[in-house]
Amino acid sequence: MQQIFNFLVRFKTGLTFFLLFFVAIALIIEAHSYHSSKWVSSTNFISGSIYEASYNVSEYFNLKSENKKLSEENADLRNALINLQHNIDFPSDSLITQNTSFKSFPAKILANSYAKKDNYLLLNKGSKDTVAENMGVISSKGIVGVIEETSESYARIISILNSNISINAKLKKSNHFGSLVWDGKNPNLTQLIDVPRSATIQKGDTIVTGGNSLIFPANIPIGYVSNFDLNENQGYYTIQVSLFNDMTSVENVYVIQFNKQEEASLLFQNNASDE
Amino acid sequence: MNNYAVHGIRFIILLLLQVLILNNMLFMGFLKPYVYPLFVILLPLNINKIQALFLAFVMGLSVDFFENTGGVHAAACLVIAFVRPLVLRFSFGINYDYQTLKFYNEGFKQRFNYLAIMVFTHHLVMFALEAFSLKHSLYIVKSTLLSGLFSLFLMLLFVQLIRNRK
């Protein structure tokens, strides 16, 4: 017994080190597992309000470019509206009314990162603004990420530039599906993998969201094909996708709420438990 | 008592400097300096080792909270706090053993060695844990070297600027 105590006293520094190091490693592993509640997250009150205060200052420096983006988007929306009004003679047309279960509302990005392997963004809206987990986030140009965690007034977005996320996407032209992932190298370039070899691909083809997930509605733009190669052994394409959206400067975004997500995910669960 | 206040203020200033300014400073698109380890590097030389470990852990974890990195910075800070006595002995030699060491009385070369070893150790552990797999080993080595040089330059600048005038 005496010897155990002697041992503990003699190596107390090393033991403290290993204990704390073990805690740190556990936190890292927790951070790498998608969909578990994170203990270390910037959605807490202190870091959230510090980022918000800093954003309130830095917001002014980007006003000009953000205004330009927003007015471009206004023009696009106005064009779409004109087309829609043109078609309004057929109010019961299912093409027009099919997507009413999705609703979007505006929000702002307080903190952004894109140079790491696993990137996250902080949103200025939280559960009190009806933001919840698994809602998609898009900007005027394309997709940004998925809400992963919310606190009362902030939410953490897992960026599409993160090794823990894959998003259902398709070729706009031929509707061939694949998963959008990121290899951690270039913040403007993501990869669309598992596209079957039967797809015909050309450089410059547009990639959009697939609509097979309950997070994003179909046909939200993502990027265009900048390069592709075929893995001969497996028969799947790996496509390099240049993002429309500049992930290094996102500020005004839209959170997409899918009203029937619960109902639909219930069906998926039932299906899984039957198997 | 005065000492506690100095280190408390240094903690807050370095944390805010790191998360609000340096994290947005991407030189050539990917080079990011990390200056907050200066807190661990400049802890009192005769501090209790266990105390140093806990302070380093808290410093690293605070940065983790802002960066959403789990415990990467906490682990890296722990490692440099743990090897600090060894590095001090290696770079300052006999003065450290006799507890007569005054950081600013030593030559520039000794101080440079001490800072460089601590910075590169910290960056290596941090980037390795951030990548979290060996397939990115080239990325780890590259970022450690380039980011490390950048951080080291800034730290030397700060150390020369904030020295106590007595």
Side-chain angles (χ1 to χ4, degrees):
Chain A
M1 199 62 189
Q2 185 69 35
Q3 284 188 334
I4 297 176
F5 277 123
N6 281 342
F7 174 81
L8 287 181
V9 170
R10 183 148 20 118
F11 292 102
K12 59 181 190 295
T13 315
L15 286 173
T16 317
F17 170 73
F18 280 114
L19 187 75
L20 290 175
F21 198 75
F22 178 76
V23 173
I25 297 289
L27 289 174
I28 297 172
I29 293 170
E30 189 198 36
H32 275 260
S33 56
Y34 187 53
H35 262 215
S36 68
S37 67
K38 303 288 190 295
W39 196 74
V40 176
S41 164
S42 59
T43 52
N44 68 73
F45 173 72
I46 297 174
S47 57
S49 36
I50 289 179
Y51 273 140
E52 187 156 19
S54 131
Y55 171 74
N56 284 338
V57 176
S58 63
E59 187 184 10
Y60 292 99
F61 298 109
N62 303 328
L63 272 184
K64 206 169 175 181
S65 63
E66 283 302 313
N67 274 341
K68 187 158 169 271
K69 272 188 210 167
L70 291 177
S71 62
E72 276 170 12
E73 190 191 4
N74 265 345
D76 285 346
L77 290 178
R78 195 161 284 279
N79 285 340
L81 191 65
I82 291 167
N83 290 333
L84 204 63
Q85 275 169 343
H86 182 69
N87 289 337
I88 210 102
D89 305 336
F90 314 101
S92 60
D93 192 327
S94 60
L95 277 174
I96 295 170
T97 53
Q98 65 178 353
N99 262 341
T100 48
S101 51
F102 283 100
K103 204 175 88 183
S104 72
F105 50 93
K108 288 189 173 182
I109 299 290
L110 297 181
N112 183 9
S113 75
Y114 48 85
K116 287 182 278 185
K117 294 275 170 224
D118 296 313
N119 295 294
Y120 298 92
L121 303 98
L122 190 69
L123 195 73
N124 73 340
K125 299 233 160 124
S127 50
K128 73 174 182 327
D129 311 295
T130 69
V131 170
E133 279 172 37
N134 282 334
M135 287 184 181
V137 180
I138 61 171
S139 76
S140 56
K141 299 249 176 69
I143 63 172
V144 173
V146 179
I147 306 257
E148 190 194 29
E149 195 186 354
T150 55
S151 67
E152 201 187 323
S153 38
Y154 304 104
R156 183 164 90 155
I157 304 168
I158 180 165
S159 163
I160 49 170
L161 306 180
N162 190 310
S163 62
N164 297 322
I165 193 173
S166 81
I167 287 168
N168 178 271
K170 68 181 181 188
L171 288 157
K172 192 177 187 183
K173 201 170 57 178
S174 61
N175 283 338
H176 281 97
F177 286 104
S179 313
L180 192 76
V181 294
W182 190 52
D183 63 3
K185 282 176 186 145
N186 183 339
N188 296 320
L189 220 54
T190 58
Q191 287 71 39
L192 185 66
I193 56 169
D194 294 344
V195 178
R197 75 179 334 160
S198 55
T200 50
I201 304 170
Q202 276 179 335
K203 281 188 190 177
D205 282 357
T206 308
I207 309 286
V208 294
T209 52
N212 274 6
S213 75
L214 304 175
I215 295 172
F216 291 106
N219 295 323
I220 290 184
I222 297 175
Y224 61 89
V225 176
S226 75
N227 208 345
F228 59 93
D229 62 324
L230 180 66
N231 186 330
E232 288 294 341
N233 295 329
Q234 295 172 347
Y236 288 111
Y237 280 109
T238 298
I239 305 173
Q240 302 287 333
V241 182
S242 268
L243 295 174
F244 289 134
N245 191 4
D246 182 3
M247 287 300 287
T248 60
S249 78
V250 278
E251 193 172 323
N252 288 294
V253 295
Y254 302 92
V255 179
I256 297 181
Q257 188 175 11
F258 180 32
N259 292 327
K260 289 165 185 160
Q261 194 171 45
E262 255 174 53
E263 190 184 331
S265 64
L266 208 63
L267 283 174
F268 271 115
Q269 273 165 17
N270 285 348
N271 193 15
S273 60
D274 285 347
E275 283 168 0
Chain B
M1 192 60 220
N2 190 22
N3 221 2
Y4 284 110
V6 168
H7 286 94
I9 291 170
R10 189 180 287 159
F11 180 95
I12 293 171
I13 289 180
L14 283 173
L15 178 65
L16 291 182
L17 179 79
Q18 183 65 49
V19 298
L20 294 184
I21 299 174
L22 297 180
N23 277 358
N24 296 324
M25 191 167 150
L26 287 166
F27 192 59
M28 283 161 41
F30 64 95
L31 272 179
K32 188 151 92 181
Y34 291 90
V35 171
Y36 76 91
L38 210 53
F39 175 74
V40 181
I41 292 172
L42 292 183
L43 280 174
L45 296 164
N46 53 359
I47 194 175
N48 181 324
K49 282 172 191 165
I50 293 183
Q51 237 177 355
L53 285 176
F54 273 103
L55 287 174
F57 186 74
V58 171
M59 176 84 238
L61 201 63
S62 314
V63 178
D64 279 326
F65 266 108
F66 281 90
E67 287 223 41
N68 288 306
T69 39
V72 171
H73 295 278
C77 274
L78 267 179
V79 171
I80 56 167
F82 187 63
V83 301
R84 201 170 84 113
L86 290 176
V87 181
L88 279 169
R89 181 166 300 137
F90 174 77
S91 16
F92 296 111
I94 199 123
N95 280 351
Y96 175 66
D97 288 335
Y98 287 110
Q99 302 282 326
T100 56
L101 184 62
K102 290 265 188 306
F103 190 70
Y104 286 107
N105 289 351
E106 299 299 322
F108 178 78
K109 196 179 151 217
Q110 276 90 343
R111 253 181 297 157
F112 180 83
N113 282 346
Y114 171 53
L115 275 175
I117 298 173
M118 294 290 267
V119 169
F120 284 112
T121 316
H122 172 271
H123 280 49
L124 184 66
V125 175
M126 186 187 68
F127 283 115
L129 287 176
E130 192 203 303
F132 212 57
S133 102
L134 285 178
K135 75 177 178 206
H136 298 301
S137 41
L138 189 70
Y139 162 83
I140 296 171
V141 174
K142 197 180 75 178
S143 324
T144 303
L145 285 178
L146 296 176
S147 258
L149 283 175
F150 197 4
S151 312
L152 186 60
F153 172 72
L154 285 181
M155 278 190 199
L156 284 169
L157 218 64
F158 282 126
V159 167
Q160 296 299 332
L161 284 175
I162 61 172
R163 67 190 300 173
N164 287 337
R165 280 188 201 84
K166 276 188 182 148

